[in-house]
Amino acid sequence: MRAKGIAYDTGFVRHGENSVPTFDLDAVRRDLTVIRDDLHCTAVHLVGGDPGRLERAAGIAAGLGLEVWFSPYPLELTPAEILSLFTDCAVRAERVRAAGAEVVFVTGVELSVMNSGFLPGDDVMDRVGQLLGHPERMRDVGERLREFLASAVPVVRQHFGGKLTYACIPFENPDWDLFDVKSFELIRSAEVADVYEESIRTVVAEGKPVAITGFGTAAWRGSGAVAPRSMEIVENDASGRAVRVLPGHVRDETEQATYLREVLETFEAAGVDAAFVHLFALASHPHRPGDPSRDLDVASPGIVKVYDDGTWEPKEAFAAVAEVYSRI
């Protein structure tokens, strides 16, 4: 595996509200140094909705010698708003690249379900629900996404001179001729475990470099079997914030660690070019030991557990990722 990476959350923006209210550059530098030195990562997937934060984090990562995957992550935006975000971010990513860094621009992640304009629905769960069991809708949505990317990619390339990719859900089926790297959000679950490795080998065999993004699971017993839905064990308030863990879920860091070790070894064996564990930390799901109903970290795919005061400690998954990355 050429690029051994992890996703780093700079703050997701939904309806004008940032999921990471405070962006401390000293803390970002400490985290990214840990990612390089302790996790043995060679690349970082910087995700978020604030272009300025992405550029500042990218500058820090580049200074540490990490390959930067610059990834604006639009949520609940229209196609016109997405294109405006991409244009701004392409200019910023080029500044980082022009200073000598290795930068890959990620032209969106799961755009068709995370945003409006491609599929009717008030939110992502509504849109996903409309797709399940309706392959004809998947084809229609994929076509609308391809039309958008066909217009967006030339705009991005006007401002950014490095490599481009798109992090797709497989049904979106983007036109890979537009991109330099194929990126897939591929999460192993019980339903696909028997075909998971072969599906990865198939896309790798097509020739263009392949990256796997968005994979991981939470830290509760049984989470690996339902990994794409392993965060759905919390009760949310009216604004969508997680507030309580639903009964019947037992913390199990070993399950998360074993899952990540196995899938990373699968990617290495299949010849994947780059992999980005999802994710380093998720501040919106703090660890509250001694209070299982409020220990939201149980539902977090983060490989560190974040406390309410912003400090963090490694989970077992941290050591598992570090061990694999140190030897592949």
Side-chain angles (χ1 to χ4, degrees), residues 186 192 194-206 270:
L186 284 176
V192 300
D194 59 335
V195 298
Y196 189 72
E197 183 171 0
E198 183 57 32
S199 66
I200 294 168
R201 291 186 181 278
T202 297
V203 295
V204 168
E206 293 168 358

Side-chain angles (χ1 to χ4, degrees), residues 73-102:
Y73 201 116
L75 292 171
E76 302 301 340
L77 299 184
T78 65
E81 290 169 330
I82 295 170
L83 184 56
S84 177
L85 175 65
F86 285 174
T87 303
D88 185 358
C89 286
V91 172
R92 295 170 182 271
E94 179 60 17
R95 283 200 289 259
V96 178
R97 193 188 75 88
E102 290 292 330

Side-chain angles (χ1 to χ4, degrees), residues 209-224:
V210 168
I212 310 296
T213 57
F215 64 92
T217 194
W220 51 273
R221 193 166 303 154
S223 62

Side-chain angles (χ1 to χ4, degrees), residues 285-305:
H285 286 55
H287 178 47
R288 293 164 178 150
D291 190 352
S293 69
R294 297 181 67 247
D295 183 14
L296 299 175
D297 176 71
V298 168
S300 167
I303 66 168
V304 303
K305 45 197 171 193

Side-chain angles (χ1 to χ4, degrees), residues 95-293:
R95 283 200 289 259
V96 178
R97 193 188 75 88
E102 290 292 330
V103 183
V104 176
F105 191 88
V106 184
T107 318
V109 180
E110 301 184 346
L111 290 177
S112 67
V113 297
M114 293 296 182
N115 296 276
S116 60
F118 302 100
L119 182 71
D122 295 330
D123 55 35
V124 60
M125 296 309 296
D126 188 2
R127 290 187 284 268
V128 170
Q130 293 188 50
L131 288 175
L132 296 176
H134 296 280
E136 73 285 355
R137 292 181 186 173
M138 292 184 181
R139 289 192 295 271
D140 292 343
V141 171
E143 182 57 35
R144 285 193 287 274
L145 177 66
R146 285 190 290 277
E147 290 175 1
F148 170 76
L149 291 174
S151 62
V153 166
V155 175
V156 171
R157 288 201 185 274
Q158 287 177 14
H159 302 285
F160 179 74
K163 294 179 180 179
L164 297 190
T165 191
Y166 173 72
C168 78
I169 312 170
F171 83 81
E172 290 177 319
N173 191 28
D175 177 3
W176 291 119
D177 289 340
L178 295 171
F179 300 100
D180 304 289
V181 181
K182 296 181 176 182
S183 294
F184 296 89
E185 301 270 293
L186 284 176
I187 309 174
R188 193 189 72 183
S189 65
E191 293 94 335
V192 300
D194 59 335
V195 298
Y196 189 72
E197 183 171 0
E198 183 57 32
S199 66
I200 294 168
R201 291 186 181 278
T202 297
V203 295
V204 168
E206 293 168 358
K208 189 166 284 190
V210 168
I212 310 296
T213 57
F215 64 92
T217 194
W220 51 273
R221 193 166 303 154
S223 62
V226 294
R229 304 180 300 283
S230 63
M231 293 186 68
E232 298 174 13
I233 63 165
V234 294
E235 180 182 297
N236 298 318
D237 63 17
S239 66
R241 294 188 186 92
V243 293
R244 187 175 73 91
V245 179
L246 298 174
H249 299 95
V250 178
R251 185 176 191 86
D252 190 343
E253 292 189 15
T254 301
E255 171 132 358
Q256 182 189 33
T258 300
Y259 178 97
L260 286 175
R261 182 181 296 108
E262 290 175 353
V263 295
L264 285 172
E265 290 174 345
T266 294
F267 300 157
E268 170 70 3
V272 165
D273 180 69
F276 294 91
V277 174
H278 182 75
L279 78 170
F280 183 72
L282 192 62
S284 61
H285 286 55
H287 178 47
R288 293 164 178 150
D291 190 352
S293 69

